Coordinates of all heavy atoms in Angstrom, one line a residue:
Chain A
G182 N 11.4 29.3 7.7 CA 11.7 28.5 6.6 C 10.5 28.3 5.7 O 10.5 27.6 4.6
H183 N 9.3 28.9 6.1 CA 8.1 28.7 5.3 C 7.5 30.1 4.9 O 6.9 30.2 3.8 CB 7.1 27.9 6.1 CG 7.6 26.5 6.4 ND1 7.7 25.6 5.5 CD2 8.1 26.0 7.6 CE1 8.2 24.5 6.0 NE2 8.4 24.7 7.3
Y204 N 12.8 20.6 7.0 CA 13.6 19.6 6.3 C 15.0 19.5 6.8 O 15.9 19.0 6.1 CB 13.5 19.8 4.8 CG 12.1 20.1 4.3 CD1 11.6 21.4 4.1 CD2 11.2 19.1 4.2 CE1 10.3 21.7 3.8 CE2 9.9 19.3 3.8 CZ 9.4 20.6 3.6 OH 8.1 20.8 3.3
L252 N 18.2 25.9 1.5 CA 17.2 25.4 0.6 C 15.9 26.1 0.7 O 15.2 26.4 -0.3 CB 17.0 23.9 0.9 CG 18.2 22.9 0.7 CD1 17.8 21.5 1.1 CD2 18.6 22.9 -0.8
A253 N 15.6 26.5 1.9 CA 14.3 27.2 2.2 C 14.3 28.6 1.4 O 13.3 29.0 0.9 CB 14.1 27.4 3.6
S256 N 13.5 28.0 -2.1 CA 12.3 27.3 -2.6 C 11.0 27.8 -1.8 O 9.9 27.4 -2.2 CB 12.4 25.8 -2.4 OG 12.7 25.5 -1.1
M257 N 11.2 28.5 -0.7 CA 10.0 28.7 0.1 C 8.9 29.5 -0.5 O 7.7 29.2 -0.3 CB 10.3 29.2 1.5 CG 10.5 30.6 1.7 SD 10.9 31.0 3.4 CE 11.0 32.8 3.3
E258 N 9.3 30.4 -1.4 CA 8.2 31.2 -2.0 C 7.4 30.4 -3.0 O 6.2 30.4 -2.9 CB 8.9 32.4 -2.8 CG 8.1 33.6 -3.0 CD 8.8 34.7 -3.7 OE1 10.0 34.9 -3.4 OE2 8.1 35.3 -4.6
N259 N 8.1 29.6 -3.8 CA 7.3 28.7 -4.7 C 6.5 27.7 -4.0 O 5.4 27.4 -4.4 CB 8.3 28.0 -5.7 CG 8.8 28.9 -6.8 OD1 8.1 29.9 -7.1 ND2 10.0 28.6 -7.3
E260 N 7.1 27.1 -3.0 CA 6.4 26.1 -2.2 C 5.2 26.6 -1.6 O 4.1 26.0 -1.5 CB 7.3 25.5 -1.1 CG 8.4 24.5 -1.7 CD 9.4 24.0 -0.7 OE1 9.2 24.3 0.5 OE2 10.3 23.2 -1.0
A261 N 5.2 27.9 -1.1 CA 4.1 28.5 -0.4 C 2.9 28.6 -1.4 O 1.8 28.4 -1.1 CB 4.4 29.8 0.2
V262 N 3.3 29.0 -2.7 CA 2.2 29.1 -3.7 C 1.6 27.8 -4.0 O 0.3 27.7 -4.0 CB 2.9 29.7 -5.0 CG1 1.8 29.7 -6.1 CG2 3.4 31.1 -4.8
I263 N 2.4 26.8 -4.2 CA 1.8 25.4 -4.5 C 1.0 24.9 -3.4 O -0.1 24.4 -3.5 CB 2.9 24.4 -4.9 CG1 3.7 24.9 -6.1 CG2 2.4 23.0 -5.1 CD1 5.0 24.2 -6.3
Q264 N 1.6 25.0 -2.2 CA 0.9 24.5 -1.0 C -0.4 25.2 -0.7 O -1.4 24.6 -0.2 CB 1.8 24.5 0.2 CG 3.0 23.5 0.1 CD 4.0 23.6 1.1 OE1 3.9 24.4 2.1 NE2 5.2 22.9 1.0
T265 N -0.4 26.5 -0.9 CA -1.7 27.3 -0.7 C -2.8 26.7 -1.6 O -3.9 26.6 -1.2 CB -1.4 28.8 -0.9 OG1 -0.4 29.2 0.0 CG2 -2.7 29.6 -0.6
P293 N 0.6 28.2 4.8 CA 0.2 27.7 3.4 C -0.1 26.2 3.4 O -0.7 25.7 2.5 CB 1.5 28.0 2.6 CG 2.3 29.0 3.4 CD 1.9 28.8 4.8
G355 N 3.7 19.2 2.4 CA 5.1 19.8 2.4 C 5.8 19.5 1.1 O 5.2 19.1 0.1
R356 N 7.1 19.7 1.1 CA 8.0 19.6 -0.1 C 7.8 18.4 -0.9 O 7.9 18.4 -2.1 CB 9.4 19.8 0.4 CG 10.4 19.9 -0.8 CD 11.8 20.2 -0.2 NE 11.9 21.6 0.3 CZ 12.8 22.1 1.1 NH1 13.9 21.3 1.4 NH2 12.8 23.3 1.5

Side-chain angles (χ1 to χ4, degrees):
Chain A
H183 301 286
Y204 313 97
L252 297 176
S256 59
M257 82 180 181
E258 207 179 318
N259 283 338
E260 284 176 2
V262 172
I263 298 166
Q264 290 170 9
T265 302
R356 185 172 293 165

